[in-house]
Structure formats: C-alpha cells, structure tokens
Amino acid sequence: MKPVTLRTERLVLDVPALADVDLIAEYCADPVFEHWMTTPWPYTREHALGFVNEYVAVGWQQDREFTWALRPAGSRELLGVVGIRREDDPRWTDGQWNLGYWMGAPNRGAGLTTEAARAVVDWGFAEGIAPRYRWEAVAGNVGSLAIARRLGFTFLETTPGRAEGMPAQRSDTWHAELGPDDDREIKPGWPV
C-alpha cells in the first residue's frame, strides 16, 4: 500500500522519515522504553535508521504494518509514533490487527497519543483493512492502558509469561480488543 497521511484536529500523521532519525533515537533511549517497550535496548541511532529505512518501509510495501509519525499540525517536528500490524497468531481472531504507539517524553500528557491512535483505528475500520484490533502491553504499563481504555477497547485478560520481544523478567501481559461496532465508551473490567 502507498503510505497514507491522516489528519486530526491537532496532528498530521505521516510516514517517519530520515529527518526523524535523531529524535527517534533520542526518544527511544528513554529508560521507560527499556521497561515497557519491545524496542531494542540500549536504543541507538542505528536502530532508528533501521526502523525508518527498513521496518516502516517494508511494512507499508507488504501491507502488513502501517506506521505513522505524529506531528503537530503545521510542523514537521516528530512527537511520537503510532502503528497497526496484521497478526497471524492462531489465538487471535482471523485478520486481527495489533495497535501500538509511543510518545516522546516531552510530548506526553496532552492526549495526543489517544487522538492519533483514534484516527488510525477509525481509518483501518473505514478502509476495511482491520476487522478487529488487538492491544497488548506489559502488565503495569498504565500509560498504554489508559489510552486503550479511552479508545473503547474491552479488556480481555492478563496472561502469564513474557511479552514477545521483552526480557524474561517481564512476567505478565495485558490484552484487550476493539471491533468496528463496539461501543467506544470506557468499559469496566480494566486492571486497577
């Protein structure tokens, strides 16, 4: 698929570019990433180059993963990243897509990740790309949980065992899902 640009009230979502590499490396070197994310650690500029030149580009080319850079409307500054990835895990509903996101530390707390993730989820439903979304996070990642909750996801379960790509000491993973006809209100049942 050819990359798609999305717009929200405050953001433009487009493809991460070479000009973003230094900020991606800076943001992903935040110790929060080591604890909660599946990004390499320690994260380096070379990882950011591979992310932009290979991971993002191949995902769009193969229609398997669509990744956007979050930027303020009217600016090219990178704030964070949001993406969806088609999952072939047999435990999941056929055709389900995984939603993921991160925001650079200076940009957290303004609701921008929720705004961007909502735009991506709505786009996937409207285009018929994603019949359902899955969200998962290392148990305890309350920042990611808060966003999924605000998007209207339904919490499913906590599973034991390390999250894919995480160090062995991360023991549990939270799971939730969202369908196109689901009520988008905040639902009960989320971990405290």
Side-chain angles (χ1 to χ4, degrees):
M1 172 179 284
K2 182 179 176 186
V4 173
T5 298
L6 303 175
R7 289 178 171 73
T8 70
E9 182 180 334
R10 299 180 290 172
L11 298 168
V12 172
L13 284 66
D14 62 13
V15 177
L18 283 175
D20 300 319
V21 165
D22 289 332
L23 263 179
I24 291 170
E26 177 184 327
Y27 290 156
C28 293
D30 181 337
V32 166
F33 280 64
E34 177 187 19
H35 194 70
W36 301 119
M37 304 293 289
T38 59
T39 52
W41 191 262
Y43 198 91
T44 65
R45 188 175 193 283
E46 288 71 33
H47 292 121
L49 275 169
F51 175 71
V52 170
N53 286 333
E54 297 166 27
Y55 190 84
V56 172
V58 169
W60 282 98
Q61 290 167 359
Q62 295 181 352
D63 293 341
R64 293 196 54 79
E65 183 154 3
F66 306 132
T67 305
W68 288 268
L70 285 59
R71 305 181 195 286
S75 171
R76 294 293 304 155
E77 177 190 2
L78 175 76
L79 303 175
V81 170
V82 63
I84 57 174
R85 177 181 66 243
R86 188 172 63 227
E87 295 295 346
D88 297 322
D89 188 320
R91 297 171 299 158
W92 294 8
T93 305
D94 186 39
Q96 201 158 36
W97 287 66
N98 190 47
L99 172 69
Y101 38 79
W102 59 260
M103 183 64 76
N107 312 308
R108 295 179 192 144
L112 295 171
T113 309
T114 303
E115 184 176 324
R118 182 173 287 116
V120 168
V121 164
D122 291 347
W123 171 81
F125 284 149
E127 295 296 317
I129 290 168
R132 292 194 73 70
Y133 288 101
R134 180 90 173 188
W135 166 87
E136 64 182 13
V138 174
N141 187 345
V142 295
S144 185
L145 177 148
I147 293 164
R149 225 176 131 245
R150 283 192 297 268
L151 291 171
F153 277 74
T154 299
F155 185 78
L156 299 175
E157 63 184 345
T158 301
T159 57
R162 72 180 183 89
E164 186 65 33
M166 291 299 293
Q169 68 265 28
R170 309 293 186 258
S171 60
D172 296 328
T173 305
W174 287 332
H175 302 272
E177 68 179 3
L178 178 69
D181 299 324
D182 290 356
D183 176 354
R184 295 291 192 92
E185 297 298 316
I186 292 175
K187 297 169 186 67
W190 286 87
V192 177

